[in-house]
C-alpha cells in the first residue's frame, strides 16, 4: 500500500502585517518564495480577483500542500515551482515578493525528516530530499575542528568545541535521539535542564549547513530586487539573528532597494499568545527604487 503524504499543516506568522506592507493592487503579480502550507499565498490571492502569484518551495511536500490548498482558485492565477528560491529565474517582474524563512512546523513534526530530536529518526534534515548531503554525513565524517566551527558559527553555541569532541568520540550516529543525548552529555550539568534543550543550537547549525540556508538567503536577496517592478516591495520574515542580520544588511546595502522598516516588525501580543512560533519572528520590508 502506498504511504499517504503527511499533512502539511503550517500556521503562517505576521500575516496581517505582511499583507498591509505589500500594498496589494487589484492587478498585482506576486512571488511567494517560501510557499510552505500556502497560508501567505492564499491571503495574497484573496486580496483581489485578478491578483496573480507564483508559489515556490524546496520541499515537495510543501508544493503538494499549497497546490491542494489553492485548488479551488482559478489556475490561471497561480504558477508553482519547486526548487531553491535563490535559483529561481522569473519570466515576469513582480509587484511584491515575500519569503518566510527557516524550518516549518510540518518539517519539525514529521519524524522521518530528522529536523527534530523530539522523535527518533534518521539524521536527514534536507528540505529537498532529492539532493544534497544529510546531517548524518556531517556528524559522522567531518573533522572535529570543522564540526566545532560549524556549531559555533551557525548555532552560536558557546560549548561548540566540547560538543564536537563528544560527537567525534561517540560516532557513528544513526538517529536524532542518539545525537541529542551525546550533545547533552557534553555540556555542563546546569545547562542540561535549561530553557532550551542543549542540542537545539547544534541541530540548527546542522540544518543550516545541510540546506545551505544562509548562503541561499544571501544569493536570493542579491537577485530578488531585479525581479521587482519599480516601487515593488519585498518582505522577508526571519526567525533567528543570523537570518535577520543578513536581511538587514543586504537590504541596507542594496543599490536597488530603499529600506522601509528601520526596525523589524514583530508579532502583536494576540498572535504571540495564539502561535508561540511567532514570538521570534521579525519582518523587514524594502522597496525597489
Amino acid at each position: 500500500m502506498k504511504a499517504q503524504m503527511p499533512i502539511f499543516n503550517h500556521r503562517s506568522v505576521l500575516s496581517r502585517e505582511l499583507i498591509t506592507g505589500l500594498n496589494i493592487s487589484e492587478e498585482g503579480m506576486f512571488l511567494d518564495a517560501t510557499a510552505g502550507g500556502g497560508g501567505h499565498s492564499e491571503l495574497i490571492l484573496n486580496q483581489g480577483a485578478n491578483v496573480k502569484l507564483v508559489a515556490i518551495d524546496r520541499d515537495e511536500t510543501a508544493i503538494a500542500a499549497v497546490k491542494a490548498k489553492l485548488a479551488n482558485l482559478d489556475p490561471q492565477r497561480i504558477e508553482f515551482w519547486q526548487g531553491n528560491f535563490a535559483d529561481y529565474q522569473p519570466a515576469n517582474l513582480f509587484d511584491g515578493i515575500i519569503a518566510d524563512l527557516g524550518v516549518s512546523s510540518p518539517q519539525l513534526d514529521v519524524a522521518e525528516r530528522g529536523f527534530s530530536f523530539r522523535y527518533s529518526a534518521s539524521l536527514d534534515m534536507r528540505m529537498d530530499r532529492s539532493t544534497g548531503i544529510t546531517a548524518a554525513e556531517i556528524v559522522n565524517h567531518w573533522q572535529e575542528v570543522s564540526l566545532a566551527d560549524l556549531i559555533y558559527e551557525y548555532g552560536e553555541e558557546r560549548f561548540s568545541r566540547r560538543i564536537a569532541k563528544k560527537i567525534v568520540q561517540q560516532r557513528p550516529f544513526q538517529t536524532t535521539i542518539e545525537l541529542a543525548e551525546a550533545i547533552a552529555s557534553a555540556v555542563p550539568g546546569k545547562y542540561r535542564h535549561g530553557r532550551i534543550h542543549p542540542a537545539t543550537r547544534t541541530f540548527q547549525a546542522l540544518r543550516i549547513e545541510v540546506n545551505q540556508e544562509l548562503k541561499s538567503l544571501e544569493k536570493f536577496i542579491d537577485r530578488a530586487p531585479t525581479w521587482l517592478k519599480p516601487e515593488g516591495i519585498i518582505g522577508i520574515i526571519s526567525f533567528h539573528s543570523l537570518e535577520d542580520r543578513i536581511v538587514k544588511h543586504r537590504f541596507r546595502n542594496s543599490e536597488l532597494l530603499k529600506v522601509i522598516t528601520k526596525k523589524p516588525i514583530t508579532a502583536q501580543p494576540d498572535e504571540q499568545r495564539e502561535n508561540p512560533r511567532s514570538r521570534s519572528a521579525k519582518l523587514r520590508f524594502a522597496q525597489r527604487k
Side-chain angles (χ1 to χ4, degrees), residues 144-193:
E144 182 178 326
V145 65
S146 298
L147 277 173
D149 289 345
L150 171 67
I151 296 166
Y152 181 78
E153 181 180 359
Y154 286 172
E156 299 179 296
E157 172 57 71
R158 60 186 296 195
F159 300 113
S160 60
R161 304 214 174 277
R162 296 175 62 153
I163 291 169
K165 183 176 182 179
K166 181 67 71 171
I167 288 173
V168 171
Q169 288 175 343
Q170 296 192 5
R171 66 190 185 188
F173 294 94
Q174 302 297 328
T175 70
T176 52
I177 296 294
E178 290 173 355
L179 179 60
E181 289 175 349
I183 294 167
S185 70
V187 304
K190 64 180 180 179
Y191 294 101
R192 292 174 196 164
H193 306 288

Side-chain angles (χ1 to χ4, degrees), residues 5-282:
M5 181 170 288
I7 297 172
F8 204 98
N9 185 19
H10 176 64
R11 179 183 288 186
S12 301
V13 303
L14 292 168
S15 296
R16 294 170 296 191
E17 294 81 358
L18 190 66
I19 295 300
T20 299
L22 284 175
N23 191 26
I24 297 172
S25 64
E26 175 66 24
E27 303 289 334
M29 180 73 180
F30 294 86
L31 170 66
D32 186 345
T34 52
H40 287 141
S41 292
E42 183 178 46
L43 285 170
I44 290 170
L45 288 164
N46 285 343
Q47 300 306 302
N50 296 315
V51 173
K52 295 183 179 180
L53 179 133
V54 176
I56 67 178
D57 204 285
R58 298 173 71 170
D59 191 325
E60 63 179 358
T61 307
I63 289 293
V66 72
K67 284 182 177 180
K69 189 177 187 69
L70 305 178
N72 292 329
L73 297 177
D74 181 357
Q76 297 299 316
R77 298 172 59 200
I78 314 163
E79 179 183 335
F80 301 97
W81 186 81
Q82 183 188 346
N84 188 324
F85 60 5
D87 298 329
Y88 179 64
Q89 296 181 349
N92 302 290
L93 295 179
F94 297 101
D95 296 282
I97 297 172
I98 66 167
D100 181 354
L101 304 175
V103 67
S104 65
S105 301
Q107 289 166 334
L108 289 171
D109 293 339
V110 176
E112 61 263 28
R113 302 301 297 270
F115 285 102
S116 174
F117 45 79
R118 289 181 291 171
Y119 318 98
S120 182
S122 61
L123 288 161
D124 192 321
M125 298 195 191
R126 292 173 299 169
M127 292 181 181
D128 180 352
R129 289 181 284 182
S130 68
T131 187
I133 65 170
T134 65
E137 293 175 73
I138 295 174
V139 298
N140 290 326
H141 299 290
W142 277 29
Q143 294 183 350
E144 182 178 326
V145 65
S146 298
L147 277 173
D149 289 345
L150 171 67
I151 296 166
Y152 181 78
E153 181 180 359
Y154 286 172
E156 299 179 296
E157 172 57 71
R158 60 186 296 195
F159 300 113
S160 60
R161 304 214 174 277
R162 296 175 62 153
I163 291 169
K165 183 176 182 179
K166 181 67 71 171
I167 288 173
V168 171
Q169 288 175 343
Q170 296 192 5
R171 66 190 185 188
F173 294 94
Q174 302 297 328
T175 70
T176 52
I177 296 294
E178 290 173 355
L179 179 60
E181 289 175 349
I183 294 167
S185 70
V187 304
K190 64 180 180 179
Y191 294 101
R192 292 174 196 164
H193 306 288
R195 186 174 58 87
I196 65 170
H197 190 284
T200 300
R201 294 186 178 92
T202 299
F203 270 62
Q204 172 183 295
L206 290 169
R207 191 201 78 221
I208 289 173
E209 177 63 24
V210 165
N211 296 290
Q212 295 290 289
E213 291 177 32
L214 300 185
K215 293 176 183 176
S216 293
L217 176 59
E218 291 173 345
K219 185 178 175 183
F220 170 71
I221 299 178
D222 287 346
R223 291 184 171 187
T226 67
W227 306 344
L228 285 168
K229 297 176 183 177
E231 299 187 352
I233 294 172
I234 180 170
I236 299 181
I237 298 171
S238 62
F239 288 89
H240 57 73
S241 60
L242 297 174
E243 293 173 336
D244 183 59
R245 195 175 303 134
I246 290 172
V247 176
K248 176 183 177 180
H249 291 296
R250 295 274 166 158
F251 275 6
R252 186 175 64 189
N253 296 332
S254 172
E255 296 180 355
L256 298 178
L257 295 175
K258 176 179 68 176
V259 174
I260 298 175
T261 47
K262 301 299 182 185
K263 293 184 178 181
I265 297 168
T266 56
Q268 294 297 311
D270 63 326
E271 182 176 7
Q272 292 189 32
R273 288 192 300 270
E274 294 171 6
N275 183 9
R277 181 174 178 265
S278 69
R279 294 170 187 165
S280 58
K282 294 181 178 180

